[in-house]
């Protein structure tokens, strides 16, 4: 390495930036938080209920030489956005990267879902990200990034039993599209990243608990394997970096070719 290497060249493209990842105590959110921290961002690790898991993520980030702090607010309840930003403000004075990852990962089929369950999945997956952005506009710096974690199910009816969940991701994608025009004049990019089947504790029951679960899941991808949180986190990291500056209002397929 040369003596005059810039920060970006040293593998820390997000040095000096602050990121907030919702639902970052496990799964894809944890993968994203750890990756952004590795790229030099200071990361707010948001969790809903599992404080111990969030603190474990913070400890892992710090052990790897990164910087992070945990904030706990259950989303989908009245006042959730205000409460989250109030906690955030105690640790940081502004935000560069917002990753709306927290979500309820499934919903009962049409014949079984109750109104309460429907309202809950929309409250967490759609309303919470909307008002986090709404309340966060003054905190989000010009040139920043908003990345919404969508789903391949927003573009395919391969799992029609998850209709309400898929509907929330369709709504989130419209939010991405329109918000990109609203925030464009400030140089803020807004994109959706859509994972396919990823190995997390959310999918473990199906992948490992059913006879053909893993093979079936792997066969859905054109690449013949089940995705990992890192597969998604690397796409998010690209969009969060300066390299992603010209991509906005976009829906990025990170399903490993599951829609082809």
């Amino acid at each position: 390495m040369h003596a005059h290497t810039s920060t970006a060249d040293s593998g820390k493209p997000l040095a000096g930036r602050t990121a907030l990842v919702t639902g970052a105590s496990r799964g894809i959110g944890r993968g994203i938080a750890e990756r952004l921290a590795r790229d030099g961002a200071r990361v707010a690790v948001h969790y809903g209920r599992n404080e111990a898991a969030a603190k474990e993520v913070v400890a892992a980030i710090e052990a790897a030489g990164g910087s992070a702090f945990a904030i706990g607010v259950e989303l989908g309840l009245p006042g959730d956005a205000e409460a989250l930003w109030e906690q955030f403000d105690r640790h940081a004075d502004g935000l560069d990267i917002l990753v709306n990852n927290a979500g309820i990962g499934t919903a009962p089929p049409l014949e079984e879902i109750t109104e309460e369950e429907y309202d809950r999945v929309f409250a967490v997956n759609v309303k919470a990200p909307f008002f986090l952005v709404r309340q966060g506009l003054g905190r989000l710096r010009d040139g920043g990034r908003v990345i919404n974690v969508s789903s391949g199910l927003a573009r395919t009816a391969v799992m029609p039993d998850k209709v309400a969940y898929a509907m929330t991701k369709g709504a989130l994608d419209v939010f991405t599209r329109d918000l990109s025009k609203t925030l464009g004049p400030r140089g803020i990019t807004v994109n959706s990243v859509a994972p396919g089947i990823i190995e997390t504790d959310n999918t473990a029951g199906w992948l490992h608990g059913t006879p053909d679960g893993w093979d079936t899941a792997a066969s859905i991808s054109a690449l013949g394997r089940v995705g990992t949180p890192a597969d998604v986190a690397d796409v998010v990291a690209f969009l969060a970096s300066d390299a992603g500056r010209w991509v906005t209002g976009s829906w990025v397929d990170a399903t490993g070719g599951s829609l082809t």
Side-chain angles (χ1 to χ4, degrees), residues 27-32 34-35 38 198-200 225 227-237 254:
I28 293 171
R30 176 175 183 158
I32 293 169
E34 291 183 343
R35 174 61 206 266
R38 200 160 77 237
I198 306 294
E199 186 184 12
T200 65
R225 69 172 175 84
T228 67
D231 292 328
V232 180
D234 286 353
V235 177
V236 172

Side-chain angles (χ1 to χ4, degrees), residues 20 22 46 71 73 75 80-88 132:
L20 164 61
T22 64
H46 161 267
I71 48 178
V73 172
L75 298 177
D80 54 1
E82 290 92 337
L84 193 151
W85 287 120
E86 191 183 311
Q87 281 200 43
F88 177 87
L132 272 178

Side-chain angles (χ1 to χ4, degrees), residues 208-236:
H208 301 293
T210 57
D212 306 317
W214 187 272
D215 293 341
T216 303
S219 72
I220 291 171
S221 160
L223 299 173
R225 69 172 175 84
V226 176
T228 67
D231 292 328
V232 180
D234 286 353
V235 177
V236 172

Side-chain angles (χ1 to χ4, degrees), residues 26-144:
R26 60 196 177 94
I28 293 171
R30 176 175 183 158
I32 293 169
E34 291 183 343
R35 174 61 206 266
L36 297 181
R38 200 160 77 237
D39 282 356
R42 180 166 179 245
V43 181
V45 175
H46 161 267
Y47 66 94
R49 294 178 185 163
N50 197 336
E51 185 182 10
K55 287 190 163 168
E56 195 182 299
V57 176
V58 170
I61 287 171
E62 289 174 344
S67 173
F69 56 92
I71 48 178
V73 172
E74 193 172 337
L75 298 177
L77 303 173
D80 54 1
E82 290 92 337
L84 193 151
W85 287 120
E86 191 183 311
Q87 281 200 43
F88 177 87
D89 290 343
R90 290 180 206 152
H91 299 271
D93 59 0
L95 183 70
D96 301 286
I97 301 155
L98 170 60
V99 183
N100 284 309
N101 164 78
I104 295 173
T106 188
L110 177 65
E111 302 84 1
E112 295 168 26
I113 194 167
T114 64
E115 237 182 288
E116 288 74 22
E117 287 169 319
Y118 177 95
D119 286 344
R120 173 95 183 123
V121 75
F122 269 84
V124 175
N125 294 10
V126 183
K127 189 177 178 182
F130 185 96
F131 282 97
L132 272 178
V133 170
R134 165 82 182 79
Q135 311 279 356
L137 285 175
R139 295 165 172 91
L140 196 57
R141 296 187 186 101
D142 290 0

